[in-house]
Each structure stands twice: as C-alpha cells, then as structure tokens.
Amino acid sequence: MKKVLIIGAGPAGLTAAYELLKQSKEYEVIVLEESEAMGGISKTVNYKGNRMDMGGHRFFSKVPAVNEWWNNMLPLQGAPTYDDIVLGREMTLTPGGPDPEKVDRVMLRRHRVSRIYFKKKFFDYPISFKFETFKNMGFVTTLQAGFSYISAVLNKREEKSLEDFYINRFGRKLYSMFFEYYTENLWGRHPREIAPDWGAQRAKGLSIMAIIKDVFGKMLPGKANRHVETSLIEEFSYPKLGPGQLWDVTAEEIKKLGGTILTNSRVIRLHKNADNLITSLTYETNGEEKTLEGDIFISSMPIKDLVAGMNDVPERPAEIAAGLPYRDYMTVGILLPKLNLQNKTKIRTIGNIVPDCWVYVHDRSVQLGRFQIYNNWSPYMIKDLTHTVWIGLEYFVTEGDKYWTMPDEKFTKFAIKEIVRMGLIDSPKDVLDSHVERVKKAYPAYFDTYKDIDTLVDYLKTIDNLYCVGRNGQHRYNNIDHSMMTSFETVKNIINGVTNKDNIWSVNTEKEYHES
C-alpha cells in the first residue's frame, strides 16, 4: 500500500482523505491537523452551548457532485422545524428524510439575507432596486450613483486593480459608498493596491447589469433554470449544528474507512531528496518532533509555511512564498437579551430580530467589519433561543498587530463600545456573556508577491508527489465547494496516475459558471 500523508483537516484535506479511502483500497491515509478541531476555518466553536461559525459559511454550489457529497454526509431535513413554521416558508424537503427534531445529523434549508449597515440604515447586498434602497440613499445620491454608473459603462477602465474592477461594474459613487472603505478594512490595503483577481473570484459576474438581469429573470417563465450569479442566491443549506458538524461527521467516516487523523500535530518540515520528491515530513506534537515517511503528500497548509519548511527550494520561488500576505480574523461572541435593530422586512423571525445571517458594516467610525446573527443561521446554534440573541462581531486584523495582541477582556470592551456607538445595544450592561476567537491566515491576500505567484505554482508542480489543495494550499480565496473540488481533482489524478496538475490549479479560475 502507498502511504498518503495529508496536511490539514479542513474541507480540502478531509475531502481528499475520504475520497481516496472510499475509491481505493490501495492507500494508507494519515491526516495531520495542527489543532484539535476539524474543519479549519469552517469549524464550529461551542461556547457554553452557544455555537459560533468562524466567518459564516453558506453551503451552496453549482456543482452537482459537491451537493451530492454534502447530502450524503448530512441529509437535507425531512420535515420543517419549529423555526421553519415560524418563518412561514415552504421549503424543498427530501421525502422520507430524517426528522431533524430527533436526528442531529441533518442539513437545514436557510433563507439568505445579508445587508449593508451604512449610516445607521440597511441596504440590500447585493444592491437592489427596491424603493427602500433609493429612499435610504436620498434623491441626490441616487442621481449621482446613476450618472456615475453610466459614465463607468461608457468609459471602461483597464482593470489593473480591485478598484478598477469595482468601478467598472458599479460606478465610482457606489464604489466609494459600499466597496472602498469595507475593502480597505478587510485587507488593510486600499483597493488600488490589490490585484483584480480577488474580485474575479469572489464577485464573478456580479454587477449592476447582472442585478438588473436577475430582477427581470425572476419575472420570466422558466425562472428556476435561469442563470444566477453566486452572490445573488436566495437560499442555501446549513448544518444543523454549524459548519464544523459536517467535518466532524466526515472525520468519523474517514476513521470508519481505516484512515488515521492525528490532531495537535503541526507539520514543520518536509524533506525532499535529490530527485525532487518529498520522502517524509516532520511534525510537532506535545512538545516533541516526530517524522513520518510517505509516498504521496497532499498539502492544505499555507503555501508560505509549506515552502519555508522545505529544503532545496530555488531562490525565486522561496522569495515569492515568503512574501505572500494574509489577513487574520478575530470574532467576539456577544450574548444579548435583544438587539435594538428593528425588523422592518416581511421575513418573520423568532423574537422578531432582523433576519440577516450577517451584516456588512460600512460605518467609518468603527473598526468592526461585519457581524453575524447566529440565531438566523440555525436555531440550534443558540442555547436559549427564546430569550437571547447570540451575535459574532468580526474584525479583520493582522497577526501581531494591536488588536491581535490585545487581551481578550480589553478587546471585548473595545468591541462592545463600538456596537453601543452603532446603536445595536444601549449599554455594555446589556451584554450577558462573551467569548473571543482568533483565526490565523483566514484570508490569503492578493498583493505584494502575489503578482508573481504563477512562478511559485510552476515550481510546486515540478514536485511530482506533492499536491496543493484548498484555500491556503493554493493561496486562493476559494469557497468550500471549490476547495473540495481541488481535492476531487487531486484524488482523480492520484488514482489514475496522472502527473499533470493543471486541472487541480484551474479550479475556480473561470469568470462565471451556470446554475442548472
């Protein structure tokens, strides 16, 4: 049997392990995970019975194989929950599926609501053409936005930066209102310093014209089969107990198939021989260093760390890898008796809270980037759904900066002051409990040496028994489904003896794709 060593138990790493074991009996599979949790950034944190989703993860894909994979792990619910009844929504249910009141291992079908909070008003995201949008913007601003968009259509900019990307699709006025500050807060860099690739991947096909087409598309016959941009989806699936539940279940299945998962095992070095093949890796666990030999290596660890721990790397690829930037993430879970925000939508919610899964914060007076309302992701994320609201205040930071190094208690007080200033709560005394989480290298960034990443990728492709998968494994801001697809392609190549890796690296490089 060939020994396959997989670095990282996030979506890409666990998918690769499961698929190899399911499809072939010829491989011994060992997964090494730095932490105790499964799922990487897609883990679920359980704090005193209240669960936190690190970043908010919608389970939606236009790839049938991915949807089928999710459904096999966590079947879509077979009956509406109390929450579904209160929301008054008809849902697509799997006939004969498990009762979610009795079985925890299910997916719920959720309604997507994400809005922008700007000048203490809500704006739909993506921007809509509802009366409320124009009312909140005001007559003069609406005219300015309209003429600005027309100007952008007539005078297309060469897309050298993310700023060019957004202005071409929304006009300068809307860009300055809804993209410029938020993007700079997210990345710590102005959009003119960021490559347009990020926009092409995260907002592919999204523009004013796409929104107009979507509005009219809903009115036409055959609307169920219309082309829909990913950012415009209205429903998604979600594990009953948060995204980490899917990966906990996957880990269980891997072990049933004979795979091994080593937790608290941080890979620190990979050893190459004279033939440019990796022969073993060294990992650190409980203060000890241990070495494992292997035949095939699948890495979802950050490329920066992967290359830094590898011997005999040529100078230029090593420089590029060392210079790759990341953005880190902090979130403060805040338990409240209520939120001051009024639900003025037609969507009914338990406790009549606003229906948003998350809200983008564009208020320039605060550092807060986004806040999640966990009640709306799944009613089972909250210990006391009837009497409390559990929110996550999300901050985009850099490891080692003043926010990252701030003690939890001090950072929590800082965050609470911000939501008091925004009007979300009246006083710090409203807070019943809190919890802080930090996530390193949450977002691979598209500046600095990223411009030369193709040179680095070309080098990594020359190591025949190394496969790079997932978001950090490819330094690409992938969604969960795309991270999984890199592993699908990797497993296919390994089993079929295909040495060319272009198919693995080409996942999520298309500018648009279609919903069937």
Side-chain angles (χ1 to χ4, degrees):
M1 294 179 70
K2 291 184 177 180
K3 182 182 287 186
V4 181
L5 302 182
I6 299 176
I7 306 171
L14 292 178
T15 298
Y18 177 78
E19 287 299 313
L20 264 177
L21 291 165
K22 185 183 73 170
Q23 295 184 38
S24 175
K25 303 296 183 183
E26 297 180 9
Y27 302 97
E28 175 188 358
V29 176
I30 301 175
V31 181
L32 297 100
E33 167 56 36
E34 178 180 2
S35 69
E36 292 184 351
M38 298 295 102
I41 193 177
S42 299
K43 68 182 178 181
T44 300
V45 173
N46 188 340
Y47 175 71
K48 297 181 181 179
N50 290 305
R51 292 176 166 83
M52 302 171 69
D53 181 342
M54 296 294 98
H57 293 85
R58 301 188 187 107
F59 287 78
F60 169 84
S61 180
K62 296 180 180 180
V63 182
V66 172
N67 288 313
E68 183 180 355
W69 200 97
W70 288 338
N71 193 54
N72 286 337
M73 287 294 175
L74 294 177
L76 190 64
Q77 63 180 11
T81 65
Y82 168 69
D83 185 42
D84 302 323
I85 296 169
V86 170
L87 291 176
R89 297 178 48 249
E90 292 184 5
M91 302 175 65
T92 303
L93 306 172
T94 305
D99 181 351
E101 296 294 340
K102 299 177 181 179
V103 182
D104 277 336
R105 288 174 55 158
V106 295
M107 284 272 197
L108 306 179
R109 195 68 179 162
R110 313 304 294 151
H111 186 68
R112 173 199 182 277
V113 181
S114 295
R115 290 182 292 175
I116 293 170
Y117 194 62
F118 180 58
K119 294 185 176 180
K120 296 192 176 182
K121 296 177 182 177
F122 279 110
F123 293 83
D124 288 343
Y125 180 78
I127 300 299
S128 70
F129 297 113
K130 297 176 182 176
F131 172 75
E132 186 180 9
T133 301
F134 301 120
K135 177 183 175 183
N136 287 344
M137 287 176 65
F139 179 73
V140 173
T141 302
T142 299
L143 281 181
Q144 290 174 336
F147 284 117
S148 176
Y149 174 66
I150 292 171
S151 176
V153 170
L154 298 177
N155 302 285
K156 288 291 184 183
R157 302 161 66 105
E158 181 182 357
E159 292 187 0
K160 295 181 179 180
S161 70
L162 190 57
E163 179 174 70
D164 299 324
F165 177 93
Y166 280 133
I167 291 176
N168 277 346
R169 285 156 182 78
F170 298 94
R172 179 170 285 280
K173 184 62 178 180
L174 289 178
Y175 158 74
S176 66
M177 290 174 64
F178 297 121
F179 295 97
E180 185 174 20
Y181 173 75
Y182 182 82
T183 303
E184 187 168 9
N185 189 16
L186 170 57
W187 295 113
R189 297 285 186 93
H190 192 274
R192 72 174 65 96
E193 300 178 54
I194 302 173
D197 306 42
W198 185 83
Q201 284 183 269
R202 297 299 293 183
K204 54 166 66 80
L206 182 61
S207 65
I208 292 293
M209 190 55 65
I211 295 169
I212 293 172
K213 288 180 180 178
D214 187 66
V215 170
F216 284 100
K218 293 176 183 178
M219 304 176 184
L220 299 174
K223 63 181 180 180
N225 295 317
R226 75 189 192 281
H227 169 74
V228 179
E229 299 300 341
T230 305
S231 298
L232 297 174
I233 63 166
E234 296 179 349
E235 287 193 338
F236 60 93
S237 298
Y238 194 75
K240 180 177 177 178
L241 300 178
Q245 182 183 18
L246 174 68
W247 306 113
D248 289 339
V249 169
T250 302
E252 292 174 16
E253 296 301 312
I254 288 169
K255 292 174 184 177
K256 288 178 184 177
L257 291 170
T260 300
I261 300 176
L262 304 177
T263 56
N264 297 310
S265 300
R266 183 172 70 93
V267 174
I268 54 177
R269 287 189 296 277
L270 290 94
H271 311 284
K272 288 197 288 112
N273 63 17
D275 295 323
N276 201 36
L277 293 173
I278 298 175
T279 57
S280 63
L281 59 75
T282 298
Y283 66 99
E284 190 176 64
T285 180
N286 298 321
E288 296 182 39
E289 289 189 7
K290 297 184 179 182
T291 298
L292 274 176
E293 294 184 348
D295 301 294
I296 297 169
F297 297 78
I298 300 174
S299 173
S300 65
M301 71 189 293
I303 292 181
K304 185 172 192 168
D305 299 334
L306 172 74
V307 175
M310 210 181 287
N311 62 293
D312 299 328
V313 178
E315 183 178 1
R316 187 55 188 148
E319 288 175 349
I320 296 168
L324 288 176
Y326 299 83
R327 196 67 162 151
D328 307 291
Y329 167 90
M330 292 179 67
T331 187
V332 187
I334 300 289
L335 189 66
L336 302 164
K338 66 181 180 68
L339 274 175
N340 285 346
L341 302 175
Q342 295 182 8
N343 181 14
K344 297 181 179 180
T345 72
K346 295 180 180 179
I347 301 173
R348 296 175 59 203
T349 59
I350 295 175
N352 200 36
I353 61 175
V354 289
D356 306 73
C357 299
W358 67 48
V359 177
Y360 299 95
V361 177
H362 290 219
D363 188 334
R364 287 165 169 78
S365 68
V366 296
Q367 190 68 26
L368 179 65
R370 199 170 62 180
F371 65 90
Q372 293 190 63
I373 305 175
Y374 297 119
N375 302 52
N376 295 332
W377 285 99
S378 166
Y380 303 98
M381 299 277 278
I382 317 303
K383 184 176 182 180
D384 184 357
L385 184 68
T386 306
H387 301 102
T388 60
V389 181
W390 178 231
I391 65 174
L393 309 179
E394 301 185 340
Y395 289 84
F396 310 117
V397 299
T398 298
E399 184 181 355
D401 70 12
K402 66 178 181 179
Y403 299 111
W404 184 271
T405 57
M406 200 178 285
D408 288 358
E409 183 178 357
K410 185 176 180 181
F411 188 78
T412 300
K413 288 181 179 178
F414 163 75
I416 291 172
K417 284 182 181 178
E418 292 211 323
I419 60 173
V420 170
R421 189 181 310 146
M422 290 170 59
L424 272 61
I425 61 175
D426 294 323
S427 163
K429 295 180 181 179
D430 294 339
V431 177
L432 304 174
D433 203 352
S434 63
H435 178 68
V436 176
E437 284 285 327
R438 292 170 174 80
V439 179
K440 296 179 181 179
K441 294 183 173 67
Y443 308 109
Y446 287 38
F447 41 84
D448 294 343
T449 58
Y450 172 80
K451 66 182 185 302
D452 298 316
I453 196 168
D454 288 347
T455 299
L456 175 58
V457 171
D458 288 342
Y459 167 71
L460 293 171
K461 288 179 181 177
T462 68
I463 307 173
D464 287 345
N465 64 340
L466 173 66
Y467 298 85
C468 295
V469 297
R471 174 182 284 195
N472 276 330
Q474 294 192 340
H475 201 86
R476 184 175 291 157
Y477 200 147
N478 285 326
N479 286 327
I480 293 175
D481 59 340
H482 292 122
S483 292
M484 292 174 64
M485 287 166 63
T486 62
S487 292
F488 288 166
E489 295 298 316
T490 292
V491 170
K492 182 171 67 175
N493 284 12
I494 291 171
I495 290 176
N496 295 318
V498 176
T499 56
N500 186 295
K501 298 170 185 171
D502 290 346
N503 58 322
I504 300 170
W505 286 94
S506 66
V507 170
N508 194 25
T509 57
E510 78 281 11
K511 291 296 184 289
E512 63 178 343
Y513 60 150
H514 295 268
E515 181 176 38
S516 59

